[in-house]
Amino acid sequence: MSGRGPRAAWIAGLLTTSVAAGVLTGTQAHAVVGDEAKDGAYRFTAKLDLGGGKRSCTGTLVESQWVLTAASCFADNPEQGFRITGGAPKTKTTVTVGRTDLSTQTGTTVDAVELVPRGDRDLVMVKLAKPVAGITPATLAMSAPRQGEELRVTGYGRTKDEWAPERLHTAAFGVGAVSGPTFDLAGKSADASLCKGDIGGPAFREADGKAELVGVNSASWQGGCWGTDQAETRKGASSTRVDDISGWVQETLARTLLPRADWGNAVHLASGYFTGGGVTADSKRRMDLFVVWKDGSASLFQGAEHNDPAFPFSAEYKLEGAGSYWKDARAVTGGKFTESGSEGLTVRWASGKLSTYTHVDEKGFHDEKTLAERGSWWEHARLITAGRYTANALRDDLLVLWDNGSTSLYSDTGANGIKKETQLTNADDGWKNAVQIAAGEFTGKKTADLLIRWNDGQTQIFPGVDTAGYHGRIQLTAEKSHWTNASQLAVGSFTKSNGRLNDILVRWNTTDLSYYPGADANGLHGEVQLVG
């Protein structure tokens, strides 16, 4: 950055010369001086149009109903700062996502209905009137930009020879000085520059075909851009960091995440640390939730890292569509089934087949192992749950309730098959009244507890279940309680407290969704309403 004079003066120059970069007359749209993006590339890049062409900016789809961009895009006078008032946009704003070529009809155009500004930096979350389907959002970086690191930038602004380009443009930039919430950018090629209309656009890492959003572009000298004074040769730019405010982003977008789903159609719930590359219970983030829907589709809700108890999840990943093989799932549980530390799912299918996916994440299901073939006695397994019922801390055990009312414990169960069965109870009509079961850690015993919801509304904890059987029971809810309306439940760590598996998430038959944080031997301690 040498030769530019005092840094404070340079930053002021950036703001006054380009924060109003999207302010235009007429209906012109405006892009990064660089190469035209290939058809279908960087579809998470969004074009924002304010006031029917009076102002244009670029943004990034970070969740199917939210775009992240620069707050100064919406400021009355961007030269006076980026602080804006949250709520509905003052002028009609439309957002186009997934359209590399603006002259085509690909992608989606939708109205913006709410602004949630960050306040302490040039960032705003833009809520869309409806979710955008079929476009993978960019993920937020978890590490800060590094000086000398190469990032890619995309934008719909002007180029060196186009006032209103029809295509998304892209160029590589190198990271310069990193100072607090901002960092400098310099083009890797002679022509690379950010121009009017590129404000709010993404600066991102590319790895394994995925985009990791590092910053949101906020200012540029605009050297080489159409309409800039030819005497201006400086092409440096400034971007606002997002890696250190991921919690705020997650908390904002999570507000619309769960209410979008029709929870009355959820037929199976399973918790686990599925995403994050084998995250263990001492992680700072909350557990994920796997859901199978009535139409055969399957979703994975990623656990959030922020502290707001009302929003335990930060993203939904659609793993399978309607009509998939998941319509044949009859019992599902999450757990550790290998010694790698990753977590997966064990499933009892309608055919009697029992299988384990040793790992599940946002990309799908990995390494399926068949534990029992079609037509096996496992077609009589009515309810299953995985938990640490023996001293083996590396793999979970499987507790099974059969349709004749008997229960069994399978220890040392995993990708290599079922090793050992211990019958805990014989056929018992009383156990046929169990509606849901789940493993948890409510009492601090050496082995996992078993949570059972009975069909009369009672909910009980069986503490410290092991190969010797059951050792008493603890009453959580009484007979004929409102828990008769609990259609599905999952036990996990949804509060980002201590990783202990003692939060009970319930899907009610009214389509509401809630959870009870920190349940223990003393009972339930409040309810957090998520949907309803």
Side-chain angles (χ1 to χ4, degrees), residues 328-351:
D328 296 323
R330 294 297 178 266
V332 183
T333 184
K336 291 191 294 185
F337 303 111
T338 69
E339 298 180 1
S340 67
S342 64
E343 300 197 8
L345 297 168
T346 291
V347 187
R348 198 276 282 180
W349 304 95
S351 65

Side-chain angles (χ1 to χ4, degrees), residues 109 340 365 462:
T109 297
S340 67
F365 310 97
F462 289 68

Side-chain angles (χ1 to χ4, degrees), residues 438-493:
E441 299 172 357
F442 306 104
T443 64
K445 301 293 184 180
K446 292 182 179 180
T447 53
D449 309 314
L450 179 67
L451 178 72
I452 300 182
R453 203 276 284 182
W454 304 93
N455 61 9
D456 63 359
Q458 292 187 78
T459 308
Q460 297 174 333
I461 294 171
F462 289 68
V465 178
D466 54 26
T467 54
Y470 305 104
H471 309 286
R473 64 182 69 186
I474 299 168
Q475 197 83 5
L476 289 183
T477 62
E479 184 179 354
K480 296 182 180 180
S481 75
H482 72 285
W483 280 67
T484 56
N485 298 316
S487 291
Q488 302 290 333
L489 62 81
V491 172
S493 181

Side-chain angles (χ1 to χ4, degrees), residues 64-193:
S64 61
Q65 201 169 350
W66 291 91
V67 164
L68 183 61
T69 187
S72 49
C73 179
F74 294 90
D76 292 337
N77 183 358
E79 294 186 17
Q80 295 181 1
F82 55 77
R83 286 180 174 81
I84 61 174
T85 302
K90 292 182 178 180
T91 60
K92 179 178 175 58
T93 302
T94 59
V95 182
T96 300
V97 187
R99 189 171 296 172
T100 309
D101 186 342
L102 295 173
S103 67
T104 68
Q105 297 301 310
T106 59
T108 301
T109 297
V110 61
D111 288 343
V113 294
E114 183 184 1
L115 305 180
V116 182
R118 170 69 186 185
D120 65 344
R121 63 188 71 184
D122 192 9
L123 289 176
V124 63
M125 294 283 286
V126 181
K127 181 183 175 184
L128 308 181
K130 62 181 181 180
V132 173
I135 299 174
T136 302
T139 59
L140 264 64
M142 293 294 104
S143 59
R146 305 180 305 275
Q147 190 166 8
E149 178 182 13
E150 180 175 312
L151 302 178
R152 180 155 294 277
V153 169
T154 54
Y156 287 99
R158 303 179 190 178
T159 66
K160 62 181 179 181
D161 52 11
E162 292 178 289
W163 177 273
E166 292 286 346
R167 294 188 68 91
L168 179 70
H169 281 70
T170 180
F173 282 74
V175 176
V178 180
S179 177
T182 64
F183 60 94
D184 297 339
L185 289 173
K188 301 291 285 186
S189 64
D191 287 339
S193 183

